[in-house]
Amino acid sequence: MIEPCVSSAEPRFQLDYPINESDFLAAGESASKTKKALQQLGLKPEVVKNSAIIVYEAAMNIVIHATSGRLKVIIVRDEVVIRAEDTGPGIPDIELAMQEGYSTAPHEIREMGFGAGMGLANMKHCSDELIVESEPGVGTILEARIHLGQKESPREIR
Amino acid sequence: MTLRDIKDILDAEVLCGEDLLDKEVKTGFACDLVSEMLAFAGSGNLIITSLKNPHVIHTAEVMDAVGVVFVGGRNPNLALAKQIENSQVPLLATDLLMFKCCGLLFQHGVLGTKRGCIQ
Ligand SMILES: Nc1ncnc2c1ncn2[C@@H]1O[C@H](COP(=O)(O)OP(=O)(O)OP(=O)(O)O)[C@@H](O)[C@H]1O
Ligand SMILES: [Mg+2]
């Protein structure tokens, strides 16, 4: 499993949200709150937006696909680190799950506007580094890193 | 083109953000999938959607949308009431359906976004 990102340096800033199965509103709110908090720190708009998108997608994945989890947003050194950990079914084939369009979301979820199968690919585009580790039947850990100096969203120049 | 012009063109009701209607609108993005909005629509877009749930409002905030147009009914969904009240992004609702709404906006000079339609 991924080493905790805060091992060597004290984080300058930390947000911590519990995310539970089916709590869609908490997921959306965690993204809005992250955005406001990072804006107040005076980070670049691109960094703020990309961080908020990653938080939203990661939180939504816990709400939709897992049982319960936690989401942390930390600033260590020159990076925003977003770490999502959950207990749940895990992802048996991560490479497949990363592909745009692959989704196991049920019909009711699609009716709400989720389940395009774009969340993980989206998180990858928004981050400078994305690591996903999962153990089927146990859970998933996702860690995304965004450099504070990130110039242009990789998503917008692809 | 401002949100106020768009309100008139679409005969829309303003659900929230009456004081922000002078915001300029250049490009729009029509979509009923949240992740697609987050993936393809850059900052400053007008979102046009037939989804009527609070996630659209959170998404619009996260992606710095200039506003949201809910198509296919002016009556705001009750489940949306609290989010509408707290929304940072102006919200409009029109009785027009998706195609007509987008067609009218395009005709009046609102363009598609980068990975949207023709630009
Ligand atoms: N935390 C998780 N636990 C278990 N499975 C997951 C988790 N996150 C993603 N998955 C699996 O990976 C697939 C792809 O995830 P992704 O976020 O890319 O798309 P989605 O959530 O299905 O749809 P979208 O994000 O576009 O609304 C999911 O359908 C699900 O099968
Ligand atoms: Mg997802």
Side-chain angles (χ1 to χ4, degrees), chain A residues 32 35 49 57 112-113 158, chain B residues 34-35 40 43 53 61 64:
Chain A
S32 293
K35 185 173 174 188
K49 185 173 152 191
E57 295 284 14
M112 295 168 74
R158 74 180 173 192
Chain B
V34 169
S35 284
F40 293 146
S43 303
N53 63 42
E61 284 177 10
D64 298 323

Side-chain angles (χ1 to χ4, degrees), chain A residues 57-58 60-62 64-66 86 88-92 96-99 102-105 109-110 113-121 123 134 139-140, chain B residues 34-36:
Chain A
E57 295 284 14
M60 256 353 210
N61 278 357
I62 297 177
I64 295 171
H65 308 293
D86 69 57
I91 307 175
L96 180 64
M98 294 293 303
Q99 284 176 19
Y102 176 82
S103 175
T104 57
I109 298 291
R110 287 172 202 252
F114 298 97
M118 296 183 61
L120 285 168
M123 287 187 253
S134 189
T140 302
Chain B
V34 169
S35 284
E36 203 169 288

Side-chain angles (χ1 to χ4, degrees), chain A residues 67-145:
Chain A
T67 318
S68 68
R70 286 205 95 75
L71 211 140
K72 286 187 185 165
V73 185
I74 302 163
I75 298 182
V76 239
R77 295 187 212 92
D78 57 345
E79 286 179 324
V80 180
V81 181
I82 297 158
R83 190 177 164 94
E85 292 190 28
D86 69 57
T87 14
I91 307 175
D93 185 342
I94 293 173
E95 209 181 312
L96 180 64
M98 294 293 303
Q99 284 176 19
E100 265 186 29
Y102 176 82
S103 175
T104 57
H107 180 71
E108 320 84 78
I109 298 291
R110 287 172 202 252
E111 277 194 331
M112 295 168 74
F114 298 97
M118 296 183 61
L120 285 168
N122 216 355
M123 287 187 253
K124 192 164 176 79
H125 285 295
C126 288
S127 56
D128 290 296
E129 193 185 344
L130 178 74
I131 305 169
V132 185
E133 285 188 5
S134 189
E135 202 175 325
V138 179
T140 302
I141 300 179
L142 176 146
E143 196 171 287
R145 292 168 174 270

Side-chain angles (χ1 to χ4, degrees), chain A residues 49 155-156, chain B residues 29 36-43 45 47 63 113:
Chain A
K49 185 173 152 191
R155 194 171 23 84
E156 308 216 309
Chain B
F29 188 78
E36 203 169 288
M37 293 176 195
L38 292 171
F40 293 146
S43 303
N45 269 289
I47 296 177
M63 57 177 272
T113 189

Side-chain angles (χ1 to χ4, degrees), chain A residues 27-46:
Chain A
E29 276 161 16
S30 65
S32 293
K33 284 182 193 156
T34 299
K35 185 173 174 188
K36 279 185 202 115
L38 296 183
Q39 257 167 353
Q40 276 168 7
L41 290 178
L43 302 191
K44 287 186 173 188
E46 276 306 307

